[in-house]
Amino acid sequence: MTLPSRKLAGPVQPTADGTRTSADQAPAKHRQTVLVSGLASDSHTWNLVFLQLLIEEQGYDVVNLGPCVPDELLVRECLERAPALLVISSVNGHGHQDGVRVIRKLRAERALATLPAVIGGKLGIAGSERTDHVAELVEAGFDSVFEDGAQEITAFRRFIGGIPQRALS
């Protein structure tokens, strides 16, 4: 289940020179950065590499913090890098618990209060039988939640294709 809460622009389009850009994206030399991270309790890496490649295909630079990222490190990296988007992925089934905790820490920082942030993957151990964690994650501060599944990849692509572009100097 996907619950985006922000109105985003249209999808990324190819340009004459073969790069992919949305209508209001900065030139390629001023590409924005997306931060990709696992959660403190999740040691999986394949999902993070997959997301990095997917996001790079959409025309963004990616900083992949890897697995087992402590909350404090994630907050510090977001403060220092000021990414266009934070993407958190979980495979171990504890994404809901860890995600609520970390997004509250991020949103407690004034400079990160409006940072677009999403979480996705295997967010709980009950599978599709329990979906109330999606609403709780959005309520805690995530802009969108992408549960495990192929249809969610399409929704995620639409989401990142519509990230508002900031003016870069």
Side-chain angles (χ1 to χ4, degrees):
M1 172 185 279
T2 306
L3 297 173
S5 64
R6 295 177 192 240
K7 174 88 171 117
L8 300 172
V12 172
Q13 300 293 323
T15 62
D17 66 358
T19 59
R20 296 167 61 94
T21 183
S22 65
D24 57 351
Q25 182 174 350
K29 67 179 182 176
H30 294 295
R31 291 172 19 147
Q32 292 191 65
T33 299
V34 173
L35 206 60
V36 172
S37 180
L39 293 160
S41 71
D42 198 328
S43 64
H44 294 89
T45 58
W46 64 266
N47 53 317
L48 303 173
V49 173
F50 173 80
L51 285 168
Q52 178 176 344
L53 294 172
L54 180 72
I55 295 165
E56 287 173 342
E57 285 178 357
Q58 300 298 309
Y60 291 90
D61 290 325
V62 175
V63 173
N64 188 338
L65 297 179
C68 300
V69 177
D71 298 354
E72 295 74 21
L73 176 61
L74 183 57
V75 170
R76 186 170 61 246
E77 289 292 326
C78 287
L79 286 168
E80 290 176 6
R81 296 179 186 275
L85 173 67
L86 170 63
V87 177
I88 295 177
S89 179
S90 177
V91 178
N92 70 356
H94 300 287
H96 165 253
Q97 294 167 320
D98 291 350
V100 167
R101 184 190 66 245
V102 77
I103 196 66
R104 287 181 177 151
K105 289 180 181 179
L106 286 161
R107 296 301 186 218
E109 293 288 336
R110 186 174 181 189
L112 302 177
T114 60
L115 169 67
V118 299
I119 188 169
K122 187 174 180 187
L123 303 173
I125 57 172
S128 61
E129 298 137 25
R130 181 169 177 237
T131 58
D132 59 327
H133 61 267
V134 173
E136 187 177 350
L137 286 161
V138 170
E139 200 174 287
F142 281 103
D143 294 288
S144 197
V145 176
F146 301 93
E147 297 209 77
D148 198 18
Q151 68 279 9
E152 295 296 315
I153 299 298
T154 301
F156 178 70
R157 277 188 168 154
R158 277 194 303 268
F159 184 92
I160 61 174
I163 299 169
Q165 300 296 310
R166 295 185 299 227
L168 302 173
S169 53

